[in-house]
Every structure is written in structure tokens, then in C-alpha cells.
Amino acid sequence: MRNILIAAAVSLLLSMVGTPLAIRLFGRRGYGQNIREEGPSGHYDKKGTPTMGGTVIVIASLIGYFTAHLTTLFSAVTDPPTASGLLVLFLMTGLAAVGFLDDFIKIYKQRSLGLRSGAKAAGQLVVGAIFAVLVVRFPNGYDITPAETKLSFLRDFGPSIGLLGFTVWVLFYIVGFSNAVNLTDGLDGLASGATCLVLAAYVLIGNWQLRNSCTLLLGPNCYSVRDPLDLAVVAAAVLGACFGFLWWNAPPAKIFMGDTGSLALGGVIAGLAFTTRTQLLLVILGGLFAIITMSVIIQVGFFKMTRKRVFRMAPLQHHFELSGWAETTIVVRFWLIAALCVAAGLGLFYLEWMPKQ
């Protein structure tokens, strides 16, 4: 528990202090956001707002995580970083690098599009493939690896789908959720606030899995998770960094996270889902991201078939903008939807522990 609090506090402080420094630095260098011409007209006022704020989230998260572990060097029991925690942080940092390149090209060429879609997807796939191969290695003393080549909901279930099938599943999931957070990042504070809620859920999940670990006490509902406490530390570190960033990203935003942040945050929640063995549960916990992604799929698919649109504009938040809703109204209401999804996911997670009459 101490490590969780230290990681969250350090990353929060660094993010709160570092974000205004990034605002001034990126502002002086002209690292401002370009706006899509076909987007809502209300977004034109945001042109030139500093972007790539996701770099602060990533750096603050990494420092917060490693600081929490460094403090144990001075205690009676050392607590070094674990394979699970490092792999999730690798996934976050690798996807952040892809997003950073995308953001930098946008700024350098002064356009709203950065990397070509093929190059961006290739970067995500390379990082995801490395994660998929490594996450089923590094067994601990109980022969538990960070993940298994199985599907999972509240824990692993069913037969192994093999390394190839698992790799394809990991790639689909990582690309899907990193792009889902990216699509959600269309209004001030929307993506960062929704991600905070999902990360808070994973802090609770990691703690509960630790208290009911199969390595401590065998039982019908125990969890075979390699490093549940360290995964809670990772979630807390990123949560603190996101919370500090949200202070400056809330409407009206002083800085945007850019693809650097959105891809990184999508990657970290996907990585937590695999390492906590809650892959399918994330679809519920991150229900807002799933809803917004589905709105794009429906819009594109329906338009290709009928040449007509279901929504005024996709992703879904822009439909409500064009319907006359104020940006802050959309953000707060979508946060409420995200909170309901997290509550439903946590309810399902704890349901099996409820007393049976």
C-alpha cells in the first residue's frame, strides 16, 4: 500500500508542476495543435494550443513508479520492480513513442494528420508484438507468468489459444484500445478524465487480487496473477500523472495530450487488462471508449453501404457538439457514463465474492 501511495503522490506532483512548464516550453517552440477543417467550428479557437502533453504523463508515471521502488531500498524488505510492471510500462512508453512521432510530424508539417495510417499501425503492431511475446515469459517462483495464452474475464478461462493466436489477440486489443482512447480525445479533459476512472478501478483490482492470491491462500476464487501489487503501483502512478495533467487539460484546456498521451494511455490500460487477467472485463470498465469507437465503426460502415450518416459527425462526442450541446456538458455527462461503466465492471468483479444465500 505504501508503494501505491508514493507512486501516485510523486507522479501527481511531477505532473502538476511539469505540465505548466511543458505549456510554456511547447508554446515558445510553436508546438501547437492543428485543427481539422471538417471538425466542429467551435474547435477553431483551440488552434495553437500546445500539444504533446502526453510526454509529461509518461515521464511522471515512470518517475513515480521507480521512486516508489527506490524507497524500499531503505526499508527492511526490498521490493524491486517486477516483470509485469515493467512490461506494462514498456507498452505505455513504446506506444507513446509512436504517438510522439505522429504529433511531431503534425507540428513540423503544420497539418492535422501526422504519420500515415499504415506507418502508425505498423508502430503499434511492433510494440504490441514485443509485449505479446514477452508477457508469457518470466515465470516467478510459483511458475506464474505475467500472462497466459488464454482469454480472461475475471481470470483466465478456457484452453490455450497458442502463442500465435494469443499474439494476434494481443495486437487486436492493444491497437483497438490505444485507438479508442485516441478517438475519445476530442474534447478538453474527456479522455484523461475517463482514463483516470479506469486506472482507479485497476488500483482496486490489483489490491483485491493481492489479498486473494493463490500464492497466499488457495481457494475456489483465488487469483493466479504474478504481480498484483506492482500492477496496482503502475496503475496508481499513471493515475496520479493523469490527474495532475487533467488539472490543466480540463475545459478550457491549456494543453492537449496529443497522440503521445492517448496511445500511451490506451496501451497501459490494455497492458493492465492482460497482466491482471481481466481482458474482457476491460470492455465494460472502459465502456465509454468502446461506445465511442463503435460510433465511428457504425458511421463509416453505414455510410459505405447507404451513403447516409447515422450521426451528424463521428466520434460520438462531436455529434452532440453539432446538436448544440456545450462542450463542458458533453464532457461531464460522458464522465458520468464512464463512471457507470467502471461501477458496473467493478460490481461484476466483486460479485462472485458476495455471500450466496
Side-chain angles (χ1 to χ4, degrees), residues 166-189:
F166 179 74
T167 301
V168 173
W169 172 238
V170 170
L171 293 177
F172 170 78
Y173 219 75
I174 289 173
V175 172
F177 265 97
S178 59
N179 286 332
V181 177
N182 186 243
L183 290 171
T184 305
D185 185 33
L187 300 181
D188 297 352

mmCIF file of all heavy atoms in Angstrom, residues 166-189:
data_model
loop_
_atom_site.group_PDB
_atom_site.id
_atom_site.type_symbol
_atom_site.label_atom_id
_atom_site.label_comp_id
_atom_site.label_asym_id
_atom_site.label_seq_id
_atom_site.Cartn_x
_atom_site.Cartn_y
_atom_site.Cartn_z
ATOM 1 N N PHE A 166 -2.653 -16.019 -29.461
ATOM 2 C CA PHE A 166 -2.579 -15.040 -28.381
ATOM 3 C C PHE A 166 -1.953 -13.734 -28.873
ATOM 4 O O PHE A 166 -2.422 -12.645 -28.520
ATOM 5 C CB PHE A 166 -1.757 -15.622 -27.226
ATOM 6 C CG PHE A 166 -1.599 -14.693 -26.057
ATOM 7 C CD1 PHE A 166 -2.650 -14.456 -25.189
ATOM 8 C CD2 PHE A 166 -0.385 -14.056 -25.816
ATOM 9 C CE1 PHE A 166 -2.509 -13.607 -24.109
ATOM 10 C CE2 PHE A 166 -0.232 -13.208 -24.739
ATOM 11 C CZ PHE A 166 -1.293 -12.980 -23.885
ATOM 12 N N THR A 167 -0.923 -13.836 -29.688
ATOM 13 C CA THR A 167 -0.267 -12.642 -30.221
ATOM 14 C C THR A 167 -1.228 -11.827 -31.070
ATOM 15 O O THR A 167 -1.293 -10.592 -30.956
ATOM 16 C CB THR A 167 0.975 -13.027 -31.050
ATOM 17 O OG1 THR A 167 1.889 -13.751 -30.222
ATOM 18 C CG2 THR A 167 1.663 -11.788 -31.601
ATOM 19 N N VAL A 168 -1.993 -12.503 -31.914
ATOM 20 C CA VAL A 168 -2.986 -11.806 -32.741
ATOM 21 C C VAL A 168 -4.021 -11.124 -31.852
ATOM 22 O O VAL A 168 -4.406 -9.973 -32.099
ATOM 23 C CB VAL A 168 -3.674 -12.792 -33.712
ATOM 24 C CG1 VAL A 168 -4.835 -12.106 -34.444
ATOM 25 C CG2 VAL A 168 -2.675 -13.343 -34.716
ATOM 26 N N TRP A 169 -4.469 -11.817 -30.801
ATOM 27 C CA TRP A 169 -5.441 -11.257 -29.870
ATOM 28 C C TRP A 169 -4.868 -10.043 -29.142
ATOM 29 O O TRP A 169 -5.553 -9.017 -28.996
ATOM 30 C CB TRP A 169 -5.859 -12.334 -28.880
ATOM 31 C CG TRP A 169 -6.718 -11.908 -27.734
ATOM 32 C CD1 TRP A 169 -6.437 -12.058 -26.414
ATOM 33 C CD2 TRP A 169 -8.004 -11.283 -27.791
ATOM 34 N NE1 TRP A 169 -7.462 -11.564 -25.634
ATOM 35 C CE2 TRP A 169 -8.445 -11.080 -26.457
ATOM 36 C CE3 TRP A 169 -8.825 -10.864 -28.835
ATOM 37 C CZ2 TRP A 169 -9.657 -10.491 -26.147
ATOM 38 C CZ3 TRP A 169 -10.044 -10.267 -28.524
ATOM 39 C CH2 TRP A 169 -10.443 -10.082 -27.198
ATOM 40 N N VAL A 170 -3.628 -10.140 -28.709
ATOM 41 C CA VAL A 170 -2.976 -9.012 -28.028
ATOM 42 C C VAL A 170 -2.877 -7.808 -28.965
ATOM 43 O O VAL A 170 -3.168 -6.672 -28.573
ATOM 44 C CB VAL A 170 -1.572 -9.414 -27.524
ATOM 45 C CG1 VAL A 170 -0.797 -8.189 -27.051
ATOM 46 C CG2 VAL A 170 -1.674 -10.413 -26.380
ATOM 47 N N LEU A 171 -2.472 -8.044 -30.201
ATOM 48 C CA LEU A 171 -2.332 -6.948 -31.157
ATOM 49 C C LEU A 171 -3.677 -6.282 -31.428
ATOM 50 O O LEU A 171 -3.773 -5.049 -31.480
ATOM 51 C CB LEU A 171 -1.726 -7.463 -32.467
ATOM 52 C CG LEU A 171 -0.273 -7.945 -32.383
ATOM 53 C CD1 LEU A 171 0.189 -8.490 -33.724
ATOM 54 C CD2 LEU A 171 0.647 -6.822 -31.927
ATOM 55 N N PHE A 172 -4.704 -7.099 -31.622
ATOM 56 C CA PHE A 172 -6.053 -6.559 -31.838
ATOM 57 C C PHE A 172 -6.470 -5.692 -30.656
ATOM 58 O O PHE A 172 -7.018 -4.594 -30.824
ATOM 59 C CB PHE A 172 -7.047 -7.704 -32.046
ATOM 60 C CG PHE A 172 -8.483 -7.280 -32.050
ATOM 61 C CD1 PHE A 172 -9.039 -6.687 -33.173
ATOM 62 C CD2 PHE A 172 -9.276 -7.460 -30.921
ATOM 63 C CE1 PHE A 172 -10.385 -6.272 -33.171
ATOM 64 C CE2 PHE A 172 -10.605 -7.061 -30.914
ATOM 65 C CZ PHE A 172 -11.158 -6.469 -32.048
ATOM 66 N N TYR A 173 -6.213 -6.175 -29.457
ATOM 67 C CA TYR A 173 -6.634 -5.483 -28.246
ATOM 68 C C TYR A 173 -5.865 -4.178 -28.042
ATOM 69 O O TYR A 173 -6.445 -3.144 -27.718
ATOM 70 C CB TYR A 173 -6.415 -6.417 -27.051
ATOM 71 C CG TYR A 173 -7.498 -6.352 -26.018
ATOM 72 C CD1 TYR A 173 -8.729 -6.953 -26.250
ATOM 73 C CD2 TYR A 173 -7.305 -5.697 -24.807
ATOM 74 C CE1 TYR A 173 -9.733 -6.908 -25.301
ATOM 75 C CE2 TYR A 173 -8.299 -5.650 -23.859
ATOM 76 C CZ TYR A 173 -9.519 -6.262 -24.110
ATOM 77 O OH TYR A 173 -10.516 -6.201 -23.177
ATOM 78 N N ILE A 174 -4.554 -4.250 -28.218
ATOM 79 C CA ILE A 174 -3.725 -3.067 -27.994
ATOM 80 C C ILE A 174 -4.019 -1.989 -29.023
ATOM 81 O O ILE A 174 -4.203 -0.808 -28.682
ATOM 82 C CB ILE A 174 -2.235 -3.453 -28.001
ATOM 83 C CG1 ILE A 174 -1.888 -4.254 -26.738
ATOM 84 C CG2 ILE A 174 -1.347 -2.215 -28.108
ATOM 85 C CD1 ILE A 174 -0.492 -4.823 -26.740
ATOM 86 N N VAL A 175 -4.071 -2.362 -30.290
ATOM 87 C CA VAL A 175 -4.393 -1.387 -31.331
ATOM 88 C C VAL A 175 -5.798 -0.839 -31.115
ATOM 89 O O VAL A 175 -6.044 0.367 -31.249
ATOM 90 C CB VAL A 175 -4.268 -2.028 -32.733
ATOM 91 C CG1 VAL A 175 -4.792 -1.075 -33.805
ATOM 92 C CG2 VAL A 175 -2.816 -2.392 -33.019
ATOM 93 N N GLY A 176 -6.724 -1.726 -30.734
ATOM 94 C CA GLY A 176 -8.095 -1.289 -30.521
ATOM 95 C C GLY A 176 -8.226 -0.277 -29.398
ATOM 96 O O GLY A 176 -8.840 0.782 -29.574
ATOM 97 N N PHE A 177 -7.635 -0.569 -28.242
ATOM 98 C CA PHE A 177 -7.810 0.336 -27.104
ATOM 99 C C PHE A 177 -6.956 1.597 -27.218
ATOM 100 O O PHE A 177 -7.373 2.667 -26.763
ATOM 101 C CB PHE A 177 -7.542 -0.392 -25.784
ATOM 102 C CG PHE A 177 -8.796 -0.921 -25.163
ATOM 103 C CD1 PHE A 177 -9.171 -2.241 -25.355
ATOM 104 C CD2 PHE A 177 -9.633 -0.107 -24.430
ATOM 105 C CE1 PHE A 177 -10.346 -2.740 -24.808
ATOM 106 C CE2 PHE A 177 -10.814 -0.586 -23.875
ATOM 107 C CZ PHE A 177 -11.173 -1.906 -24.069
ATOM 108 N N SER A 178 -5.777 1.492 -27.823
ATOM 109 C CA SER A 178 -4.986 2.714 -27.995
ATOM 110 C C SER A 178 -5.693 3.664 -28.963
ATOM 111 O O SER A 178 -5.729 4.883 -28.733
ATOM 112 C CB SER A 178 -3.572 2.381 -28.477
ATOM 113 O OG SER A 178 -3.593 1.680 -29.705
ATOM 114 N N ASN A 179 -6.300 3.117 -30.010
ATOM 115 C CA ASN A 179 -7.047 3.963 -30.936
ATOM 116 C C ASN A 179 -8.360 4.441 -30.323
ATOM 117 O O ASN A 179 -8.837 5.543 -30.632
ATOM 118 C CB ASN A 179 -7.326 3.214 -32.243
ATOM 119 C CG ASN A 179 -6.073 3.090 -33.102
ATOM 120 O OD1 ASN A 179 -5.177 3.923 -33.038
ATOM 121 N ND2 ASN A 179 -5.993 2.031 -33.888
ATOM 122 N N ALA A 180 -8.957 3.621 -29.437
ATOM 123 C CA ALA A 180 -10.203 4.022 -28.787
ATOM 124 C C ALA A 180 -9.991 5.246 -27.897
ATOM 125 O O ALA A 180 -10.795 6.185 -27.910
ATOM 126 C CB ALA A 180 -10.762 2.861 -27.962
ATOM 127 N N VAL A 181 -8.911 5.247 -27.125
ATOM 128 C CA VAL A 181 -8.612 6.420 -26.299
ATOM 129 C C VAL A 181 -8.284 7.608 -27.191
ATOM 130 O O VAL A 181 -8.664 8.752 -26.902
ATOM 131 C CB VAL A 181 -7.450 6.123 -25.328
ATOM 132 C CG1 VAL A 181 -7.097 7.372 -24.519
ATOM 133 C CG2 VAL A 181 -7.820 4.990 -24.379
ATOM 134 N N ASN A 182 -7.611 7.347 -28.298
ATOM 135 C CA ASN A 182 -7.283 8.405 -29.253
ATOM 136 C C ASN A 182 -8.553 9.040 -29.830
ATOM 137 O O ASN A 182 -8.638 10.267 -29.970
ATOM 138 C CB ASN A 182 -6.412 7.828 -30.368
ATOM 139 C CG ASN A 182 -5.912 8.890 -31.335
ATOM 140 O OD1 ASN A 182 -6.237 8.876 -32.500
ATOM 141 N ND2 ASN A 182 -5.113 9.824 -30.842
ATOM 142 N N LEU A 183 -9.547 8.223 -30.162
ATOM 143 C CA LEU A 183 -10.811 8.744 -30.680
ATOM 144 C C LEU A 183 -11.571 9.526 -29.617
ATOM 145 O O LEU A 183 -12.266 10.504 -29.927
ATOM 146 C CB LEU A 183 -11.681 7.590 -31.187
ATOM 147 C CG LEU A 183 -11.215 6.872 -32.452
ATOM 148 C CD1 LEU A 183 -12.056 5.627 -32.700
ATOM 149 C CD2 LEU A 183 -11.280 7.802 -33.664
ATOM 150 N N THR A 184 -11.439 9.112 -28.367
ATOM 151 C CA THR A 184 -12.138 9.785 -27.269
ATOM 152 C C THR A 184 -11.511 11.139 -26.967
ATOM 153 O O THR A 184 -12.172 12.037 -26.431
ATOM 154 C CB THR A 184 -12.107 8.896 -26.005
ATOM 155 O OG1 THR A 184 -12.641 7.615 -26.333
ATOM 156 C CG2 THR A 184 -12.923 9.494 -24.873
ATOM 157 N N ASP A 185 -10.233 11.296 -27.320
ATOM 158 C CA ASP A 185 -9.507 12.532 -27.013
ATOM 159 C C ASP A 185 -9.888 13.631 -28.003
ATOM 160 O O ASP A 185 -9.058 14.121 -28.753
ATOM 161 C CB ASP A 185 -7.998 12.263 -27.064
ATOM 162 C CG ASP A 185 -7.182 13.472 -26.625
ATOM 163 O OD1 ASP A 185 -7.668 14.218 -25.753
ATOM 164 O OD2 ASP A 185 -6.070 13.657 -27.153
ATOM 165 N N GLY A 186 -11.173 14.015 -27.989
ATOM 166 C CA GLY A 186 -11.621 15.049 -28.916
ATOM 167 C C GLY A 186 -12.111 16.305 -28.226
ATOM 168 O O GLY A 186 -12.280 17.341 -28.850
ATOM 169 N N LEU A 187 -12.366 16.215 -26.915
ATOM 170 C CA LEU A 187 -12.837 17.352 -26.139
ATOM 171 C C LEU A 187 -11.953 17.528 -24.913
ATOM 172 O O LEU A 187 -11.377 16.555 -24.410
ATOM 173 C CB LEU A 187 -14.291 17.148 -25.698
ATOM 174 C CG LEU A 187 -15.339 16.976 -26.803
ATOM 175 C CD1 LEU A 187 -16.721 16.806 -26.191
ATOM 176 C CD2 LEU A 187 -15.323 18.138 -27.772
ATOM 177 N N ASP A 188 -11.874 18.730 -24.419
ATOM 178 C CA ASP A 188 -10.983 19.045 -23.296
ATOM 179 C C ASP A 188 -11.310 18.194 -22.076
ATOM 180 O O ASP A 188 -12.425 18.247 -21.536
ATOM 181 C CB ASP A 188 -11.106 20.523 -22.924
ATOM 182 C CG ASP A 188 -10.677 21.454 -24.049
ATOM 183 O OD1 ASP A 188 -10.144 20.943 -25.060
ATOM 184 O OD2 ASP A 188 -10.873 22.677 -23.927
ATOM 185 N N GLY A 189 -10.343 17.392 -21.639
ATOM 186 C CA GLY A 189 -10.477 16.619 -20.417
ATOM 187 C C GLY A 189 -11.240 15.319 -20.546
ATOM 188 O O GLY A 189 -11.292 14.540 -19.593
#
